[in-house]
Coordinates of all heavy atoms in Angstrom, one line a residue:
Chain E
V361 N 59.1 -70.2 35.3 CA 59.4 -71.2 34.3 C 58.2 -72.1 34.2 O 57.7 -72.6 35.2 CB 60.6 -72.0 34.7 CG1 61.0 -73.1 33.6 CG2 61.8 -71.2 35.1
L362 N 57.9 -72.4 32.9 CA 56.5 -73.1 32.7 C 56.7 -74.0 31.5 O 57.2 -73.7 30.5 CB 55.5 -72.0 32.3 CG 54.2 -72.4 31.6 CD1 53.3 -73.3 32.6 CD2 53.5 -71.2 31.2
A363 N 56.5 -75.3 31.7 CA 56.5 -76.2 30.6 C 55.0 -76.5 30.2 O 54.2 -76.8 31.1 CB 57.1 -77.7 31.1
S364 N 54.8 -76.4 29.0 CA 53.5 -76.7 28.5 C 53.4 -77.1 27.0 O 54.3 -76.7 26.2 CB 52.6 -75.4 28.7 OG 51.3 -75.5 28.2
H365 N 52.4 -77.8 26.6 CA 52.1 -78.1 25.2 C 51.2 -77.1 24.7 O 51.0 -77.1 23.4 CB 51.7 -79.5 25.1 CG 52.7 -80.6 25.3 ND1 53.6 -80.8 24.6 CD2 52.7 -81.4 26.3 CE1 54.4 -81.8 25.1 NE2 53.9 -82.2 26.2
S366 N 50.6 -76.4 25.4 CA 49.6 -75.5 24.9 C 50.1 -74.1 24.4 O 50.7 -73.4 25.1 CB 48.4 -75.2 26.0 OG 47.8 -73.9 25.7
E367 N 49.9 -73.8 23.2 CA 50.4 -72.6 22.6 C 49.8 -71.4 23.2 O 50.4 -70.4 23.5 CB 50.2 -72.5 21.1 CG 51.1 -73.6 20.3 CD 51.0 -73.4 18.8 OE1 50.5 -72.3 18.3 OE2 51.4 -74.3 18.1
A368 N 48.5 -71.5 23.5 CA 47.8 -70.4 24.1 C 48.3 -70.0 25.5 O 48.6 -68.9 25.8 CB 46.3 -70.8 24.1
V369 N 48.5 -71.1 26.2 CA 49.1 -70.9 27.6 C 50.5 -70.2 27.5 O 50.8 -69.3 28.3 CB 49.1 -72.2 28.4 CG1 50.0 -72.0 29.7 CG2 47.7 -72.7 28.8
L370 N 51.3 -70.7 26.6 CA 52.7 -70.2 26.5 C 52.7 -68.8 26.0 O 53.4 -67.9 26.5 CB 53.5 -71.1 25.5 CG 53.8 -72.4 26.0 CD1 54.3 -73.4 24.8 CD2 55.0 -72.3 26.9
R371 N 51.7 -68.5 25.0 CA 51.7 -67.0 24.5 C 51.2 -66.1 25.7 O 51.7 -65.0 25.8 CB 50.8 -67.0 23.4 CG 51.3 -67.5 22.1 CD 50.7 -67.0 20.8 NE 51.3 -67.5 19.7 CZ 50.8 -68.5 19.0 NH1 49.7 -69.1 19.5 NH2 51.4 -69.1 18.0
Q372 N 50.3 -66.7 26.4 CA 49.6 -65.8 27.5 C 50.7 -65.5 28.7 O 50.7 -64.4 29.1 CB 48.5 -66.5 28.1 CG 47.7 -65.6 29.1 CD 46.6 -66.3 29.9 OE1 46.3 -67.4 29.6 NE2 46.1 -65.7 30.9
F373 N 51.4 -66.5 29.0 CA 52.3 -66.3 30.3 C 53.7 -66.0 30.1 O 54.4 -65.5 31.0 CB 52.1 -67.6 31.2 CG 50.8 -67.6 31.8 CD1 49.9 -68.7 31.4 CD2 50.5 -66.9 32.8 CE1 48.8 -68.9 32.1 CE2 49.2 -67.0 33.5 CZ 48.3 -68.0 33.0
C374 N 54.3 -66.4 28.9 CA 55.8 -66.3 28.7 C 56.1 -65.1 27.8 O 55.5 -64.7 26.9 CB 56.3 -67.6 28.1 SG 55.7 -69.1 29.1
N375 N 57.4 -64.7 28.1 CA 58.0 -63.6 27.3 C 59.3 -64.2 26.7 O 59.9 -63.4 25.9 CB 58.2 -62.3 28.0 CG 59.1 -62.5 29.3 OD1 59.7 -63.5 29.4 ND2 59.0 -61.5 30.2
R376 N 59.7 -65.3 26.9 CA 60.8 -66.0 26.2 C 60.5 -67.5 26.3 O 59.8 -68.0 27.1 CB 62.1 -65.5 26.7 CG 62.4 -65.8 28.2 CD 63.7 -65.3 28.7 NE 64.7 -66.3 28.3 CZ 65.8 -66.2 28.8 NH1 66.2 -65.5 29.8 NH2 66.8 -67.2 28.5
A377 N 61.3 -68.3 25.4 CA 61.1 -69.7 25.4 C 62.3 -70.4 25.0 O 63.2 -69.8 24.3 CB 59.9 -70.0 24.5
V378 N 62.5 -71.6 25.3 CA 63.6 -72.5 24.8 C 62.8 -73.8 24.3 O 61.8 -74.2 24.7 CB 64.6 -72.9 25.9 CG1 65.4 -71.7 26.3 CG2 64.0 -73.6 27.1
L379 N 63.5 -74.2 23.2 CA 63.0 -75.5 22.6 C 63.9 -76.6 23.0 O 65.2 -76.5 22.8 CB 63.0 -75.3 21.1 CG 62.6 -76.6 20.3 CD1 61.1 -77.1 20.7 CD2 62.6 -76.3 18.8
M380 N 63.4 -77.7 23.6 CA 64.2 -78.8 24.1 C 64.0 -80.0 23.2 O 62.8 -80.3 22.7 CB 63.9 -79.2 25.5 CG 64.1 -78.0 26.5 SD 64.1 -78.6 28.2 CE 65.4 -79.8 28.1
H381 N 65.1 -80.6 22.9 CA 64.9 -81.8 22.1 C 66.1 -82.9 22.5 O 67.3 -82.4 22.5 CB 65.2 -81.5 20.6 CG 64.9 -82.6 19.7 ND1 63.6 -83.2 19.6 CD2 65.6 -83.2 18.8 CE1 63.7 -84.2 18.7 NE2 64.8 -84.2 18.2
E382 N 65.6 -84.0 22.9 CA 66.5 -85.1 23.4 C 67.6 -84.6 24.4 O 68.8 -84.8 24.3 CB 67.3 -85.6 22.2 CG 66.3 -86.5 21.3 CD 67.0 -87.0 20.0 OE1 68.2 -86.7 19.8 OE2 66.2 -87.8 19.3
G383 N 67.1 -83.8 25.3 CA 67.9 -83.4 26.5 C 68.7 -82.2 26.3 O 69.5 -81.8 27.1

Side-chain angles (χ1 to χ4, degrees):
Chain E
V361 184
L362 163 69
S364 179
H365 287 292
S366 157
E367 291 189 14
V369 166
L370 288 162
R371 285 202 181 97
Q372 185 190 348
F373 289 109
C374 302
N375 57 18
R376 53 181 287 200
V378 292
L379 177 58
M380 295 194 65
H381 189 61
E382 293 178 349

